[in-house]
Amino acid sequence: MAPYIDDKAVVNGTADDVSSGVQNLKLKNAEPVQVDKGPSYPYYYPYFDINEKFPPTELFEHTDPGLRADPSKPNLLANATTRVLNPYIGTEVLGVQVSQLSKEGLDELALLAAERKLVVFRDQDFKDLSPERQIAIAEHFGPIQRHPTSGNVKSFPEFHVVYRDGQNDRRLPRTQNGLESLTQVGWHSDVSYEKQPPGTTFFWILDQPKLGGDTQFASQVEAYKRFSPAFKKRLEGLTAVHSAVPQANYSRERGGPVRREPVETEHPLVRVHPVTGEKALYVNKGFTKYIVGYKQEESDNLLNFLFDHIAKGTDFHIRANYEPGTLVIWDYRLTVRHTT
């Protein structure tokens, strides 16, 4: 309903009368003004230090904890309630507190994440643990990747902070060829350009809007399974270059940090998971730039087909939504994602 002047206003009076009436202008049925009280967990507010530098990432020996797990998962699911969210990706788990799991339970969690690609835990106390304790739990699954350009937590570069509010967007707008994109949504696998990209990944929400903030995931295993035997054979032996250069340049041009010099790394188009033995596509539009040995047009044609296949495969997508206390864990060797 339009604003109205209350009955104390004098419509046909003097300029002073009208001025007085305007001061009494009211908005009928207006929503109460929402006061931004700032983040509930200010310690995790994204921190950008252009002088923070990391050495090049070195290769390391790694044994996936899922290889040690009991396939029946008695230390993880004995008292749990589970719900399959999608036949190909995603299981919701209730009745388990991840922070209280034993080493054996964490091993079984690694296996479950590999089998189901994505696990959504509800009613967790994880966000209220100390940063040191959060890091200790995550390190059970392997060394933590420290992001070269994104916001982290002061004194704790192991964290990768995603932050938005009504006045600030702490994500960089996604662009193509230097032009602003229509949307910030883009399928990606974080830091896939590293020599040893991430596997088991933890993601939890501190504050959330009434609507939005969900994360959409796609199964790269099911994406691969959809191909014909002849097409799968075509992909065998192919590698593609994943590049950190555009991300680093974008941050540097805008005065952001580049904590580690960007790298470019070849990865196979199809990876084999070390625990389950499943084959999965390993390409993503965010960082995969070209296929080694192909000419430009050939590479573009094949990669664009794969990107399009992943983006349009809605039956092997899952939209993970958040409630207070939600903790989402996925295996980045088998998935791509984007956040809305």
Side-chain angles (χ1 to χ4, degrees):
M1 182 174 291
Y4 73 101
I5 297 177
D6 69 7
D7 58 7
K8 293 181 181 179
V10 180
V11 177
N12 294 315
T14 66
D16 288 342
D17 293 330
V18 174
S19 176
S20 175
V22 171
Q23 290 176 6
N24 290 317
L25 186 68
K26 298 179 180 179
L27 288 175
K28 192 172 184 179
N29 298 327
E31 292 290 331
V33 176
Q34 299 294 323
V35 178
D36 185 1
K37 298 179 181 179
S40 300
Y41 294 77
Y43 188 79
Y44 291 92
Y45 193 81
Y47 177 71
F48 298 86
D49 181 358
I50 61 172
N51 296 314
E52 186 175 38
K53 300 296 179 183
F54 303 153
T57 301
E58 296 183 359
L59 294 174
F60 55 88
E61 293 293 328
H62 178 60
T63 300
D64 194 294
L67 292 170
R68 303 189 294 261
D70 183 334
S72 66
K73 306 177 186 68
N75 301 285
L76 176 65
L77 299 179
N79 300 308
T81 300
T82 63
R83 181 169 69 97
V84 172
L85 301 175
N86 178 291
Y88 310 112
I89 177 173
T91 294
E92 183 183 65
V93 179
L94 302 175
V96 174
Q97 198 61 251
V98 170
S99 65
Q100 302 302 314
L101 289 175
S102 64
K103 292 181 179 180
E104 292 77 13
L106 292 174
D107 289 346
E108 294 166 13
L109 173 53
L111 177 58
L112 181 62
E115 291 173 342
R116 295 297 302 144
K117 320 315 182 262
L118 167 78
V119 188
V120 180
F121 290 92
R122 304 295 187 186
D123 303 317
Q124 298 297 298
D125 63 6
F126 201 85
K127 66 178 180 178
D128 294 310
L129 303 178
S130 69
E132 292 87 353
R133 178 61 180 149
Q134 292 167 340
I135 290 170
I137 293 172
E139 283 182 331
H140 179 86
F141 302 89
I144 297 176
Q145 179 62 241
R146 299 184 299 173
H147 201 282
T149 64
S150 76
N152 58 28
V153 175
K154 189 174 183 179
S155 303
F156 293 101
E158 295 87 353
F159 291 90
H160 173 105
V161 182
V162 179
Y163 180 87
R164 301 181 78 182
D165 64 27
Q167 286 72 45
N168 300 285
D169 185 349
R170 292 290 179 173
R171 299 185 306 172
L172 297 176
R174 300 186 184 279
T175 62
Q176 294 291 331
N177 301 321
L179 300 176
E180 186 175 352
S181 176
L182 289 171
T183 176
Q184 291 186 339
V185 171
W187 289 102
H188 65 282
S189 177
D190 282 302
V191 298
S192 65
Y193 46 72
E194 294 290 355
K195 294 178 181 178
Q196 286 176 281
T200 307
T201 303
F202 282 53
F203 195 66
W204 63 98
I205 197 161
L206 301 174
D207 289 316
Q208 63 191 99
K210 293 181 179 180
L211 181 67
D214 299 344
T215 308
Q216 191 165 354
F217 294 86
S219 169
Q220 295 276 63
V221 172
E222 188 60 26
Y224 174 77
K225 286 182 177 179
R226 297 295 173 90
F227 296 141
S228 65
F231 192 76
K232 290 177 182 177
K233 188 172 181 64
R234 179 185 178 185
L235 298 180
E236 287 181 6
L238 293 180
T239 63
V241 169
H242 297 237
S243 178
V245 173
Q247 184 182 70
N249 288 345
Y250 193 90
S251 183
R252 185 180 284 117
E253 289 167 3
R254 285 153 181 78
V258 178
R259 303 181 184 93
R260 182 172 53 247
E261 286 305 305
V263 297
E264 295 189 326
T265 305
E266 282 186 40
H267 292 301
L269 263 66
V270 179
R271 293 180 67 181
V272 178
H273 195 277
V275 177
T276 65
E278 289 184 301
K279 291 184 176 181
L281 278 179
Y282 197 68
V283 297
N284 68 90
K285 196 169 185 178
F287 299 110
T288 310
K289 299 307 178 185
Y290 63 89
I291 297 172
V292 176
Y294 275 30
K295 293 185 177 181
Q296 183 71 56
E297 295 84 355
E298 297 166 342
S299 175
D300 289 348
N301 184 272
L302 181 52
L303 284 179
N304 285 332
F305 166 76
L306 296 176
F307 298 153
D308 194 55
H309 170 58
I310 293 166
K312 291 182 177 179
T314 54
D315 56 332
F316 53 83
H317 293 177
I318 187 70
R319 191 179 184 96
N321 56 40
Y322 297 89
E323 304 167 1
T326 295
L327 172 64
V328 179
I329 299 173
W330 68 89
D331 194 320
Y332 242 150
R333 295 164 290 190
L334 306 172
T335 58
V336 288
R337 73 171 184 96
H338 68 74
T339 300
T340 60

